[in-house]
């Protein structure tokens, strides 16, 4: 392991210099500062900074995202079965049904669906927090189906996740619908929401 450089040491001193004396004394006395410096033992790369901030009583940092918009007309009265048929998918998960994904919305509405791309591997709670802070909510299945119908080639570029609809079978994990595919086929799938989301994923949302 390389030793710290003078430039790095200077940066640490700069941060310490901006810290009130009483606060610095508490930090040194708690042993937390010493724990963080045990780099040969502690795996700093595995620490989620926002989780760390919450533990010590600080607000999470804002999560930046690239956001693209798509205008979609959504018919909430249409059944999931007919929505899937209209999407003309080569592959579809048979558990994606109106019974497993019921909705209370009615009528027809034109909405602007936003795709959030955070550009990093993230957990579901982190994704939902990032969407919520922008004043949006994750889309439900019928909204996802409307997006897939109007923009059929979009899902060939990246997976599009609909975290607003969640289903769990009797002994399986919680899942949400996803549009994905490649140059050969378009798929309507179920993704396990307990996993970490890949960098390439887009998360669809609408204004609250």
């Amino acid at each position: 392991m390389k030793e710290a450089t003078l430039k790095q040491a200077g940066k640490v001193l700069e941060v310490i210099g901006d810290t009130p004396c009483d606060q610095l004394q508490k930090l040194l006395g708690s042993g937390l500062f010493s724990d963080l410096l045990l780099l040969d033992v502690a795996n700093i790369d595995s620490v989620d900074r926002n989780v760390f901030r919450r533990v010590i009583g600080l607000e999470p940092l804002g999560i930046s995202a690239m956001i693209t918009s798509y205008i979609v007309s959504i018919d909430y009265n249409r059944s999931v079965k007919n929505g899937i048929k209209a999407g003309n998918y080569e592959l579809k998960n048979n558990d994606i049904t109106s019974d497993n994904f019921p909705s209370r919305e009615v009528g027809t509405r034109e909405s602007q669906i936003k795709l959030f791309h955070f550009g990093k591997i993230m957990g579901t709670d982190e994704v939902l927090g990032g969407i919520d802070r922008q004043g949006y909510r994750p889309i439900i299945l019928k909204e996802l189906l409307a997006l897939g119908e109007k923009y059929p080639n979009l899902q060939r570029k990246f997976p599009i996740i609909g975290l607003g609809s969640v289903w769990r079978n009797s002994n399986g994990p919680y899942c949400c619908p996803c549009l994905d595919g490649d140059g050969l086929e378009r798929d309507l799938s179920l993704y396990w929401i307990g996993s970490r989301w890949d960098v390439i994923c887009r998360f669809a949302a609408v204004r609250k």
Side-chain angles (χ1 to χ4, degrees):
M1 179 182 296
K2 295 181 180 179
E3 294 183 353
T5 65
L6 288 175
K7 184 177 181 180
Q8 289 171 328
K11 183 63 177 178
V12 172
L13 290 174
E14 180 183 333
V15 174
I16 290 175
D18 293 334
T19 305
C21 184
D22 290 346
Q23 184 72 1
L24 181 59
Q25 188 59 47
K26 289 179 182 179
L27 179 60
L28 294 173
S30 69
L32 292 172
F33 190 68
S34 297
D35 291 342
L36 289 174
L37 293 180
L38 291 174
L39 299 183
D40 57 333
V41 178
N43 183 3
I44 298 299
D45 292 335
S46 69
V47 178
D48 185 310
R49 187 179 180 188
N50 277 330
V51 173
F52 177 75
R53 286 174 65 88
R54 284 195 292 268
V55 168
I56 61 177
L58 297 177
E59 289 294 321
L61 296 171
I63 300 175
S64 60
M66 292 181 60
I67 304 173
T68 51
S69 302
Y70 300 88
I71 302 297
V72 178
S73 179
I74 304 161
D75 182 0
Y76 293 100
N77 297 323
R78 185 172 65 176
S79 68
V80 169
K81 180 179 179 180
N82 287 336
I84 294 174
K85 184 178 180 180
N88 196 30
Y89 304 99
E90 279 75 33
L91 292 176
K92 56 185 179 295
N93 189 299
N94 291 329
D95 287 320
I96 301 179
T97 65
S98 294
D99 288 339
N100 291 336
F101 292 93
S103 63
R104 293 172 293 181
E105 292 79 1
V106 296
T108 301
R109 184 186 317 155
E110 186 173 83
S111 296
Q112 188 176 66
I113 293 180
K114 302 280 190 177
L115 296 188
F116 284 70
H117 181 218
F118 296 100
K120 64 177 183 177
I121 296 173
M122 297 174 68
T124 298
D125 287 344
E126 192 177 10
V127 170
L128 292 174
I131 292 173
D132 180 72
R133 279 189 287 274
Q134 295 291 331
Y136 285 79
R137 63 159 177 83
I139 65 172
I140 63 173
L141 174 59
K142 288 187 177 181
E143 294 163 342
L144 184 69
L145 293 175
L147 179 68
E149 179 186 358
K150 183 167 183 181
Y151 301 95
N153 290 318
L154 196 59
Q155 68 192 81
R156 299 183 190 274
K157 302 176 183 179
F158 37 68
I160 303 171
I161 315 299
L163 284 170
S165 290
V166 177
W167 171 74
R168 181 179 186 243
N169 64 21
S170 58
N171 56 1
Y174 288 95
C175 299
C176 69
C178 168
L179 301 175
D180 58 9
D182 52 31
L184 298 177
E185 61 187 26
R186 296 168 54 250
D187 306 338
L188 176 62
S189 309
L190 286 178
Y191 275 27
W192 176 40
I193 66 172
S195 61
R196 303 281 287 177
W197 297 103
D198 194 81
V199 173
I200 196 175
C201 290
R202 268 58 170 180
F203 303 91
V206 292
R207 180 70 69 177
K208 292 180 181 178

